Amino acid sequence: MPSYQAPLRDLRFVMDEMLDYPAHYAAIGKGDDASSDVVGAILEEGGRFAREVLLPLNQIGDAEGCTRLENGDVKAPDGFRAAYLQYVEGGWPGLSAEVEHGGQGLPPSLAMALSEMICASNLAWGMYPGLSHGAVDALRHHGTDEQKSTYLSKLVEGVWTGTMCLTEPHCGTDLGLIKTRAVPKEGGAYTVTGTKIFISAGEHDLAENIVHLVLAKLPDAPEGSKGISLFLVPKFLPNAEGNVGERNGVVCGSLEHKMGIHGNATCVMNFDGATGYLVGPPHKGLACMFTMMNAARLGVGIQGLGLIEASFQNSLAYARDRLQMRGLSGKQAPEKPADPIIVHPDVRRMLLTQKAFAEGGRMLVLYAAQLLDQVEHAAPGDERERADTLLGLLTPIVKAFLTEVGFESTNEGVQVFGGHGFIKEWGMEQLVRDARITRLYEGTTGIQALDLLGRKVLMSQGESLKVFTKEIHRFCKTEADNPALKEFIEPLAKLNAEWGELTMGVGMKAMQDREEVGAASVDYLMYSGYVALAYLFARAVKSAATGLNGDEKAFYQAKIDTARFYYQRLLPRTRAHVQMIQAGAASLMAISSEDFGLGFEI
């Protein structure tokens, strides 16, 4: 069975030493609630829960999958319900929820740190409570007072869970095509009818009720995405006391048979005249749902990070133990029949690739988490507006970049194991299968790239990007004479300047041909991700350099060495992305769509 230890030391390095979370928590009025002792206890206990409770269920869930019963109910894999009840009993669902709704009122960043541990130990299980956080956010921002009083405390406590129901058989990204309808009925409710597919945790036996947030169209809805409304449709209608009442007209029609995340119930949900309640204004459902979708996109980026960490830890353990051949420079373990494969340069390349993406990804997530804390808890003003703008810019990068390199890293993990990585018992191939979906759901990499380049950067005339590049510029200017950072600052400053130049170049081309945005977008996103991590690694080196004379010299030196590997071995990938960005749309659009130059029909 695979192993997992929460990376507590690295979490505390990033939070306390690099990003100064104690000062950050104090600035948003959470210094007493999120004291160093409290944070340490939460991280320790979260790591224990992930290691001792969730990890042993990961391969069980993959092997068993979920079972749909004759009445449409779904049974989760053995042990999943007991683990969830333990999770609820521990108060974990409400960690960062508001106190008035039964939560603990701690900053969202703590919940995000916990989420990494859950995703690394058992991604499929983590998806059951995962979407509830987004449902809470959507109702908190857009729900009526009655909806909040009825549903929020149950969702925060975890006795009810939430879903988001967007996709239909004929439409995924283009939600303006949805056919699900909501017809008003007496008492202010609506009758919701339609079919949704790919609904994660759409039906299960972990909680007593499931609250579906459903996109549908009213009878007078305008065409396209401007006619979408958002509805709350519970599995069981609440009774007068606010507890589970009669069964609603929503049922799981079937379970999807999937490549990965077998332990999570991915459902076809049939709404057959189900009772629903409008959330937010009519025809503004997509804007309301985006509150939930943005939270989910950050969550999926954390899934990518968790899988990188799991793959790295198991690859490292195997590479230290597996004996094959002798080192090229001679015997490294002469007392053994062969050397451990960790001595071989190419194995170290694969290990360090995973290590760099895990540590860099963690810095990116926790940097974004600080911004989310500020958006949620900082006083109104310029600083909160800046945090909101920067978080909007980074959200598609967190989601898409970390899942792209997450899939790469899990494949490298299999490669370290060689043929054994292809065998189920080691658990490495499951990580690859589970990682594959992260590049797809909550918006594919291509959609995130269009969001980043088209909506966030070009539609703001580059102003949102400048918020970040100015921060990087200030850092480079401040540290220009720091000898410990010289090898990092010079290439970072050049990339930061180039980022703006590339953006301007794409924008100018797009004025003549809008296809240029789509042609450049994915490479632009990947370039952005590599530069963002380069900035954070440079900051990490600055923090690590101060610890080289202490008791943990090896830890800090490894941090610097990992940054050096990233700059020398991974950051040069930006050169290829630049060339592809500048190549433009011509070669992509030249071949006819009709037969794609095959000479026969498909």
Side-chain angles (χ1 to χ4, degrees):
M1 183 181 81
S3 61
Y4 172 72
Q5 295 281 340
L8 299 179
R9 182 64 187 91
D10 197 52
L11 279 164
R12 297 312 296 261
F13 168 77
V14 178
M15 296 174 75
D16 296 346
E17 301 174 54
M18 177 183 158
L19 297 179
D20 197 1
Y21 261 65
H24 160 71
Y25 285 149
I28 61 172
K30 295 291 181 179
D32 292 336
D33 295 336
S35 67
S36 181
D37 289 344
V38 169
V39 171
I42 288 171
L43 296 178
E44 287 273 0
E45 183 58 23
R48 186 204 63 79
F49 180 77
R51 180 181 69 255
E52 297 180 6
V53 179
L54 298 183
L55 182 66
L57 298 175
N58 196 30
Q59 287 185 298
I60 293 173
D62 185 60
E64 288 187 9
C66 299
T67 305
R68 180 182 178 275
L69 307 178
E70 290 184 5
N71 63 355
D73 289 347
V74 171
K75 180 184 179 300
D78 287 346
F80 272 45
R81 175 176 165 79
Y84 184 77
L85 294 177
Q86 187 173 338
Y87 176 79
V88 171
E89 184 179 352
W92 295 109
L95 187 68
S96 62
E98 293 182 341
V99 174
E100 66 180 288
H101 302 306
Q104 298 176 45
L106 291 166
S109 53
L110 269 180
M112 292 172 73
L114 172 67
S115 181
E116 181 198 333
M117 302 177 194
I118 292 173
C119 294
S121 57
N122 194 328
L123 174 57
W125 183 93
M127 292 170 66
Y128 288 104
L131 286 173
S132 297
H133 303 304
V136 167
D137 285 343
L139 290 176
R140 184 164 60 88
H141 285 97
H142 307 293
T144 64
D145 290 341
E146 182 180 359
Q147 289 168 354
K148 292 176 184 178
S149 64
T150 301
Y151 293 94
L152 278 182
S153 64
K154 299 288 190 181
L155 287 166
V156 167
E157 184 183 354
V159 293
W160 295 0
T161 60
T163 75
M164 51 194 297
C165 300
L166 290 74
T167 306
E168 298 184 5
H170 61 286
C171 69
T173 300
D174 192 355
L175 293 170
L177 300 175
I178 63 171
K179 295 180 180 179
T180 300
R181 293 294 181 263
V183 179
K185 64 179 186 177
E186 292 183 7
Y190 295 79
T191 299
V192 178
T193 303
T195 296
K196 300 289 185 177
I197 64 171
F198 304 158
I199 308 305
S200 299
E203 176 58 47
H204 56 80
D205 60 349
L206 274 62
E208 64 183 32
N209 201 5
I210 303 171
V211 180
H212 302 285
L213 290 181
V214 184
L215 293 182
K217 289 191 174 183
L218 293 165
D220 62 344
E223 291 293 321
S225 61
K226 294 182 178 180
I228 298 174
S229 299
L230 179 63
F231 297 87
L232 185 158
V233 184
K235 175 182 175 180
F236 291 98
L237 296 168
N239 59 24
E241 291 74 36
N243 297 316
V244 168
E246 65 178 287
R247 181 71 185 255
N248 203 0
V250 53
V251 66
C252 173
S254 65
L255 291 173
E256 306 287 3
H257 299 278
K258 314 184 296 286
M259 177 180 178
I261 55 170
H262 294 162
N264 192 266
T266 306
C267 304
V268 175
M269 300 301 300
N270 296 325
F271 297 85
D272 298 319
T275 297
Y277 307 93
L278 182 67
V279 177
H283 318 314
K284 300 295 183 182
L286 205 54
C288 296
M289 182 65 92
F290 256 103
T291 301
M292 193 173 185
M293 290 169 66
N294 283 330
R297 287 173 174 178
L298 290 171
V300 174
I302 296 171
Q303 291 178 1
L305 169 59
L307 293 169
I308 298 170
E309 180 65 30
S311 179
F312 168 59
Q313 288 190 20
N314 286 277
S315 299
L316 178 61
Y318 185 84
R320 285 171 169 165
D321 185 64
R322 177 71 167 173
L323 304 179
Q324 291 288 288
M325 305 188 302
R326 291 297 185 183
L328 296 177
S329 59
K331 294 181 179 180
Q332 304 298 306
E335 76 283 3
K336 297 178 181 180
D339 289 331
I341 62 173
I342 197 170
V343 308
H344 302 307
D346 191 57
V347 173
R348 297 180 71 86
R349 175 190 61 80
M350 293 185 283
L351 291 172
L352 282 165
T353 296
Q354 296 173 76
K355 186 177 193 290
F357 283 140
E359 294 182 5
R362 186 168 299 114
M363 291 186 281
L364 179 60
V365 164
L366 291 172
Y367 178 89
Q370 278 193 332
L371 300 173
L372 182 59
D373 285 348
Q374 291 172 339
V375 170
E376 292 290 332
H377 295 292
D382 292 343
E383 193 62 27
R384 192 164 83 174
E385 290 181 11
R386 177 187 179 279
D388 192 44
T389 298
L390 192 46
L391 182 62
L393 176 81
L394 292 178
T395 294
I397 298 174
V398 170
K399 195 281 181 186
F401 183 80
L402 291 186
T403 57
E404 287 292 326
V405 299
F407 186 63
E408 174 188 349
S409 295
T410 56
N411 275 282
E412 294 285 29
V414 169
Q415 200 74 7
V416 170
F417 275 70
H420 291 284
F422 201 65
I423 305 301
K424 280 184 176 291
E425 68 179 270
W426 292 94
M428 299 303 290
E429 57 83 37
Q430 181 189 344
L431 297 178
V432 175
R433 289 186 288 105
D434 287 353
R436 188 60 185 86
I437 186 60
T438 64
R439 300 166 67 199
L440 300 174
Y441 57 17
E442 308 307 339
T444 64
T445 300
I447 294 301
Q448 302 302 320
L450 285 173
D451 178 48
L452 172 65
L453 179 56
R455 292 183 67 248
K456 302 293 173 56
V457 176
L458 295 181
M459 285 184 66
S460 72
Q461 303 295 312
E463 291 304 312
S464 62
L465 177 63
K466 289 178 184 177
V467 173
F468 195 39
T469 56
K470 284 180 179 179
E471 177 179 324
I472 299 174
H473 175 74
R474 287 193 297 270
F475 174 80
C476 291
K477 187 175 181 180
T478 301
E479 303 299 331
D481 296 326
N482 185 340
L485 291 180
K486 180 178 175 60
E487 65 182 290
F488 304 101
I489 292 298
E490 291 183 0
L492 176 61
K494 290 179 181 178
L495 286 165
N496 192 46
E498 182 182 56
W499 201 353
E501 295 165 2
L502 283 172
T503 303
M504 185 178 296
V506 173
M508 294 296 290
K509 286 184 177 181
M511 293 175 66
Q512 306 298 321
D513 182 3
R514 295 182 68 179
E515 301 290 0
E516 292 289 341
V517 178
S521 59
V522 170
D523 289 295
Y524 184 90
L525 184 145
M526 296 302 293
Y527 177 95
S528 303
Y530 283 114
V531 177
L533 260 62
Y535 166 55
L536 294 169
F537 266 117
R539 289 184 59 175
V541 170
K542 179 184 176 183
S543 298
T546 63
L548 290 176
N549 295 321
D551 294 337
E552 294 185 278
K553 178 180 179 180
F555 172 83
Y556 292 113
Q557 185 60 56
K559 189 67 60 180
I560 296 170
D561 290 339
T562 302
R564 185 170 290 123
F565 169 85
Y566 179 83
Y567 267 71
Q568 294 181 2
R569 287 279 183 160
L570 297 177
L571 193 56
R573 295 179 182 185
T574 55
R575 299 304 88 213
H577 290 300
V578 167
Q579 187 170 343
M580 289 183 279
I581 290 169
Q582 294 177 337
S587 63
L588 290 175
M589 309 305 291
I591 299 176
S592 168
S593 299
E594 294 182 3
D595 68 356
F596 223 65
L598 296 179
F600 58 87
E601 293 185 2
I602 293 181

